[in-house]
Amino acid sequence: MAAAQEERFTRQKHDSAYPAHAIDYVTGWRGGSLANVDYVAFYDKPFLKFERLLETYLAFAPRGFRSFRTAMPVWIKEKLFQKDLLRKKLAAQAPGIDWSDRLLFAEHHMSHAASAFYPSPFDEAVVLTLDGVGEWATTSVAIGQGADLQILKEIHFPHSLGLLYSAFTYYLGFKVNSGEYKVMGLAPYGSPKYKDLILENLLDLRDDGSFHLDQRYFNYCTGLEMTNGAFETLLGQPRRRPETDSLEPFHMDVAASVQAATEEAMLCLARALKREYGLPNLCLAGGVALNCVANGKLLRDGAFERIWVQPAAGDAGGAVGAAFSAHHQHLQQPRPARVSGSADGATGAADGMQRAHLGPAFEQGEIERRLQAAEARYEVLDEADLLAATARGLASGKAVGWFQGRMEFGPRALGARSILADPRAAEMQKILNLKVKFRESFRPFAPSVLRQHLPAWFQMDVDSPYMLLVGHVALERAREMSAAEAGLFGIDKLNVVRSEVPAVTHVDYTARLHTVDRHSQPRYRRLLELFHEATGCPMLVNTSFNIRSEPIVCTPEDAFRCFMGTDLDILVIGDCYLDKTAQDPSLARDYSGEFELD
């Protein structure tokens, strides 16, 4: 019915505080309240996690005392007594209820597995979860059948594909738990020169998909850093210093290498699971499942006929999984049937995530009141005029902030809180990165493409409603590089036009695809149709409506502030159309130095 992250309300990225605002929203959806809630489910078991921390510190003692001294006060004061903390917080929001009897705790990887299987369109599936670490598990394999879900295998800490990728994120000078996207985006600029070095020294990968990390090279068990001197010696260079050291071809090759090693591990796992269980469907969750490049290769590999990935595959989706686990496992409720079929190229059954449009929406009157309070200048247009004006602006090269309907749940903007642009413009990727998002120029953008036109433009013909699959540009849409262009290195590759839609074509001729079909937002789909009618191009650049290190916008005020602090040309909120040139210049903001690197 409803889902949202606390960060969207507080505007603090990765806000880990008690989610009072999100609880108010989801329980108040359609007139409800927290007092109407039968159960509250939490996505992991704190005592088991504390046990893992203690056993790890003891195993590595006396190393790690500095980390131990930092972690223990937080655990003893708050995390260890999570149930009591939650009971008190819930009682403050809804007094007079004994919340102790209504609190349920699911293990971390069961939460991930439940979030992947229960809302999936499959009656039966193998469920694979991969992340940094939960309580003990870093990887789990489950089988889902109807309302039954059983975890059969696990790989335990400290052996973790998620932590391996995060270690390289740290080594490359990016922020752990948010900069992993950068490593994935940087990888195509390099070549996987160090893949064998990783597989021979760091990651021992077995034929059955299991793996082992050599802890001599890592420091995450006991230290405050992810890697150590042995790691740097192995790779031959010290860790890149964030924001001060430039990105060199070496760093791009390292990114390509860890990406290739991760893909090989995921492919090995998937093939082994298909051999063992023989099922045609695979569900994925956990932070590693947000690696859409690896997901695309899993799909093309064909070990599994169909793949479904939870759109909020990281820990935010753990809340959804905990709720599903409570509903189907604790309360033993049946799963609903899924509706099959589509008239526009979509295949298979609909899933249970409502295209991830599960967040707050705003009525037109409220939008106007909020914009007036922000001193915004706007026109109110009927839908036909609104969409026509927006399509004209996009076709003329303008960047558009698009705010419609319910906010998305998960890390991807899917046509509700999006920045849109013309994918045919060769300079658009650089313009959006530097002048709107205030982030590194190398980071790629995704296309939103009308589902029925997908096979004509990309080498893929399956639904990708959550932007979690990467596919190659169709050969007939691609442009072959000259010998001089092919010989370029690193960031110099960025400005080479590779296809008819260069703004969404990455340097390896791929794109992170978001398909828009009849289940998607009707107004967004109609905008794509109008743009297609005007230009012959059935897609738009679609990136999240925010700047670096800021959460995706939630309210009309958030959107207007972002609009006035960036080089966006047009803002469309509900039926309101805002032109940047009509705004009061004194309301402009300098966002560029406000947020740290993500």
Side-chain angles (χ1 to χ4, degrees):
M1 291 176 64
Q5 288 173 254
E6 185 71 1
E7 65 168 24
R8 305 290 175 87
F9 303 94
T10 64
R11 314 307 301 155
Q12 299 296 315
K13 189 79 169 175
H14 304 307
D15 192 339
S16 60
Y18 174 78
H21 301 86
I23 288 171
D24 281 342
Y25 159 66
V26 298
T27 58
W29 175 247
R30 292 184 177 173
S33 71
L34 181 55
N36 301 136
V37 168
D38 295 313
Y39 292 95
V40 172
F42 193 73
Y43 78 114
D44 67 14
K45 294 191 173 183
F47 274 96
L48 286 179
K49 188 173 286 189
F50 186 66
E51 174 190 85
R52 188 250 303 166
L53 286 174
L54 285 182
E55 288 196 22
T56 302
Y57 283 128
L58 286 171
F60 285 86
R63 286 198 295 137
F65 179 73
R66 188 162 60 106
S67 173
F68 176 83
R69 186 175 58 189
T70 302
M72 284 305 105
V74 179
W75 272 91
I76 292 169
K77 182 180 178 181
E78 179 180 318
K79 293 184 179 181
L80 188 57
F81 305 104
Q82 193 82 59
K83 183 172 184 177
D84 189 53
L85 173 70
L86 290 174
R87 182 183 60 77
K88 290 176 180 176
K89 293 285 190 180
L90 291 165
Q93 280 190 270
I97 297 171
D98 185 358
W99 288 102
S100 298
D101 295 334
R102 303 192 188 194
L103 275 171
L104 301 174
F105 291 79
E107 287 195 25
H108 188 93
H109 274 258
M110 177 54 79
S111 295
H112 278 320
S115 79
F117 176 64
Y118 287 122
S120 80
F122 309 138
D123 291 325
E124 187 175 39
V126 176
V127 184
L128 176 61
T129 70
L130 307 113
D131 66 3
V133 62
E135 295 91 0
W136 278 104
T138 66
T139 306
S140 77
V141 175
I143 298 295
Q145 295 173 311
D148 184 60
L149 179 64
Q150 299 289 332
I151 291 179
L152 304 180
K153 296 181 180 181
E154 291 181 339
I155 296 173
H156 284 183
F157 181 85
H159 309 294
S160 165
L161 279 183
L163 290 175
L164 175 72
Y165 209 90
S166 291
F168 276 88
T169 301
Y170 172 83
Y171 176 73
L172 290 170
F174 302 132
K175 193 172 181 180
V176 172
N177 293 330
S178 66
E180 285 78 5
Y181 296 121
K182 298 185 185 183
V183 178
M184 184 174 66
L186 189 64
Y189 290 93
S191 60
K193 295 179 179 178
Y194 306 101
K195 176 188 171 185
D196 289 344
L197 183 108
I198 292 170
L199 293 174
E200 290 167 5
N201 295 276
L202 302 178
L203 177 66
D204 180 12
L205 181 62
R206 285 77 181 271
D207 290 340
D208 64 356
S210 63
F211 52 84
H212 183 281
L213 297 189
D214 190 334
Q215 291 304 304
R216 289 177 298 175
Y217 297 97
F218 302 96
N219 206 32
Y220 56 74
C221 282
T222 59
L224 300 176
E225 302 84 25
M226 293 297 296
T227 60
N228 58 26
F231 190 99
E232 296 181 356
T233 300
L234 180 69
L235 287 167
Q237 288 197 26
R239 177 190 177 227
R240 175 179 168 266
R241 292 173 298 179
E243 298 196 62
T244 57
D245 291 350
S246 60
L247 283 166
E248 303 294 338
F250 167 77
H251 301 113
M252 298 165 196
D253 293 340
V254 169
S257 301
V258 71
Q259 177 66 29
T262 301
E263 291 166 6
E264 183 160 331
M266 292 178 70
L267 285 167
C268 189
L269 262 168
R271 292 165 183 164
L273 293 174
K274 182 59 186 290
R275 287 195 302 268
E276 184 168 1
Y277 298 108
L279 298 176
N281 304 318
L282 176 67
C283 297
L284 292 168
V288 177
L290 291 171
N291 192 313
C292 51
V293 178
N295 294 344
K297 292 192 176 181
L298 280 178
L299 182 68
R300 290 190 295 276
D301 182 66
F304 287 90
E305 296 172 25
R306 293 176 295 274
I307 294 174
W308 191 85
V309 186
Q310 162 57 236
D315 283 354
V320 169
F324 272 118
S325 178
H327 187 66
H328 293 302
Q329 296 179 312
H330 182 72
L331 299 174
Q332 299 186 323
Q333 296 298 304
R335 290 178 75 204
R338 301 291 180 218
V339 179
S340 300
S342 174
D344 56 4
T347 55
D351 64 48
M353 287 299 293
Q354 297 186 42
R355 289 300 190 256
H357 294 129
L358 295 164
F362 297 85
E363 298 294 335
Q364 180 62 25
E366 186 176 6
I367 290 170
E368 292 182 36
R369 287 192 297 274
R370 287 170 177 257
L371 289 178
Q372 288 166 13
E375 301 181 58
R377 297 169 182 170
Y378 60 88
E379 297 178 80
V380 178
L381 304 177
D382 63 33
E383 182 166 287
D385 290 340
L386 183 83
L387 294 177
T390 307
R392 281 195 304 271
L394 288 163
S396 66
K398 293 183 178 179
V400 174
W402 179 259
F403 183 111
Q404 299 290 329
R406 297 183 71 182
M407 181 180 69
E408 301 92 341
F409 179 62
R412 307 294 192 210
L414 303 170
R417 305 289 187 273
S418 291
I419 291 173
L420 308 176
D422 186 347
R424 302 169 303 157
E427 294 290 309
M428 190 57 70
Q429 178 186 352
K430 181 183 286 187
I431 290 168
L432 288 178
N433 268 326
L434 298 179
K435 294 189 176 183
V436 177
K437 303 287 279 189
F438 302 118
R439 67 186 196 184
E440 299 90 344
S441 62
F442 69 81
R443 294 172 69 175
F445 288 105
S448 284
V449 57
L450 290 168
R451 175 64 180 90
Q452 66 268 33
H453 295 285
L454 180 68
W457 288 79
F458 298 97
Q459 297 176 46
M460 201 168 90
D461 192 16
V462 299
D463 301 347
S464 182
Y466 302 119
M467 209 184 285
L468 285 169
L469 294 172
V470 162
H472 285 83
V473 173
L475 294 177
E476 58 270 27
R477 305 289 181 182
R479 172 190 171 273
E480 188 174 352
M481 289 186 288
S482 68
E485 290 169 338
L488 294 173
F489 288 96
I491 299 298
D492 291 336
K493 297 178 180 181
L494 178 64
N495 295 322
V496 175
V497 174
R498 289 174 171 76
S499 77
E500 294 178 35
V501 282
V504 295
T505 303
H506 206 16
V507 294
D508 57 354
Y509 287 90
T510 65
R512 190 175 73 222
L513 299 171
H514 170 224
T515 56
V516 178
D517 59 23
R518 68 183 181 90
H519 300 293
S520 306
Q521 276 202 348
R523 182 171 281 191
Y524 187 50
R525 186 179 70 246
R526 182 59 185 148
L527 177 65
L528 281 161
E529 290 168 349
L530 284 175
F531 186 80
H532 179 224
E533 291 168 12
T535 66
C537 179
M539 72 190 81
L540 289 168
V541 176
N542 172 19
T543 187
S544 57
F545 197 161
N546 64 307
I547 65 164
R548 75 175 195 198
S549 288
E550 180 192 42
I552 293 174
V553 300
C554 178
T555 66
E557 296 94 327
D558 298 335
F560 183 67
R561 282 193 297 270
C562 191
F563 176 60
M564 294 303 294
T566 63
D567 283 349
L568 286 172
D569 303 296
I570 296 167
L571 175 59
V572 184
I573 305 183
D575 296 335
C576 296
Y577 184 92
L578 292 78
D579 189 308
K580 177 64 69 64
T581 61
Q583 305 307 312
D584 180 351
S586 69
L587 298 177
R589 299 181 62 190
D590 181 8
Y591 255 126
S592 58
E594 191 164 325
F595 293 96
E596 63 180 17
L597 276 180
D598 56 358

